[in-house]
Amino acid sequence: MRPLLFFTSLCIMLVLLQGQDLNTTLLHNLPYDVGVNDIWGYSTDNGQEYAIVGTDIGTSIVRVTLDEIYEAGFISGGQSLWRDLKSWDEYLYVGTENANGGIQVIDMTNPENPELATTWEGIADSHNIMVHDGFLYIIGAEGSDLYILSLENPADPQLVGLWEGDYLHDICIYEDMVYGCGISSHTMYAINVSNKQNPYTEAYWTNVPSVHACWVTDDG
């Protein structure tokens, strides 16, 4: 599955910058009676596109076409102002700051009828998750600063490695390196994950004020 990116608070929005129309048009608007927090894109092999919307009470799976938009399914979760959403293969992974949320694994084999396959309960809450090359990375959870789970069986994630060293607010991954944002210590970390069972700090640099998020360019 390929991730899609929707720059919007809900689905697809009109972007205005300094009063100039940037060749974008509002196609649809889907209102919610509860707060929304994060969004991800999901596409099936035959090109059907879905917006995956985190809400205060669960995950909304929204079918998006040029002609219409509708909620195809909803997976309930504990009350939380924050959810983070990623996909791998035909599954969605949902982390939440709810104290009993774990990581929900949603089966998208039939996106019009999504089902909660399981909940990985190796953690209680989390702030952020990332998926890369068949592994799920979890940060902002109690117990350890970085959890690494294998998605060899996407329906049944398995813990393979842990890293401890600092609270990480966000991460990005390039080849065998995880770059982590130590938001409270003002420190960036380069964590070597070539051996997922034994991640270690390759390098770090300080005096990055309240480092919040990071990304790596395609050429490194």
Side-chain angles (χ1 to χ4, degrees):
M1 300 302 150
R2 69 183 190 277
L4 307 171
L5 196 56
F6 297 86
F7 293 99
T8 172
S9 61
L10 294 178
C11 301
I12 304 172
M13 67 177 292
L14 177 67
V15 180
L16 297 177
L17 181 61
Q18 296 178 345
Q20 296 180 340
D21 185 344
L22 300 182
N23 297 318
T24 57
T25 304
L26 177 66
L27 296 180
H28 311 292
N29 180 60
L30 182 64
Y32 286 90
D33 295 330
V34 294
V36 297
N37 40 59
D38 197 17
I39 194 166
W40 188 249
Y42 180 85
S43 177
T44 64
D45 288 336
N46 63 3
Q48 294 180 359
E49 297 183 359
Y50 294 83
I52 313 302
V53 182
T55 80
D56 290 350
I57 57 174
T59 303
S60 174
I61 291 89
V62 179
R63 178 76 164 97
V64 180
T65 74
L66 291 177
D67 298 322
E68 64 177 344
I69 184 172
Y70 62 86
E71 185 175 77
F74 188 87
I75 304 298
S76 296
Q79 178 75 36
S80 178
L81 294 177
W82 183 247
R83 278 179 167 76
D84 201 49
L85 321 155
K86 298 295 186 294
S87 59
W88 180 257
D89 197 39
E90 294 182 322
Y91 290 85
L92 303 176
Y93 302 91
V94 182
T96 174
E97 291 184 341
N98 180 281
N100 299 300
I103 299 293
Q104 289 184 315
V105 181
I106 300 173
D107 186 344
M108 290 283 286
T109 304
N110 178 5
E112 298 293 316
N113 185 31
E115 297 181 351
L116 179 63
T118 188
T119 300
W120 187 73
E121 297 180 340
I123 60 167
D125 61 344
S126 61
H127 179 70
N128 205 349
I129 61 175
M130 188 71 69
V131 171
H132 182 75
D133 284 349
F135 290 90
L136 173 66
Y137 297 81
I138 305 170
I139 61 173
E142 293 285 342
S144 191
D145 297 313
L146 174 67
Y147 291 77
I148 304 175
L149 279 63
S150 170
L151 300 179
E152 183 176 1
N153 179 357
D156 185 24
Q158 296 294 316
L159 179 67
V160 295
L162 300 169
W163 175 87
E164 296 181 357
D166 199 353
Y167 172 86
L168 301 178
H169 185 266
D170 191 30
I171 60 171
C172 64
I173 305 166
Y174 183 78
E175 296 180 345
D176 286 328
M177 205 71 67
V178 169
Y179 295 93
C181 301
I183 190 170
S184 299
S185 63
H186 317 294
T187 304
M188 280 294 303
Y189 293 89
I191 303 166
N192 190 311
V193 293
S194 54
N195 179 356
K196 302 296 188 294
Q197 297 179 351
N198 186 34
Y200 63 90
T201 303
E202 181 84 28
Y204 66 91
W205 55 102
T206 58
N207 300 318
V208 187
S210 301
V211 56
H212 183 273
C214 60
W215 200 254
V216 179
T217 60
D218 290 340
D219 61 1

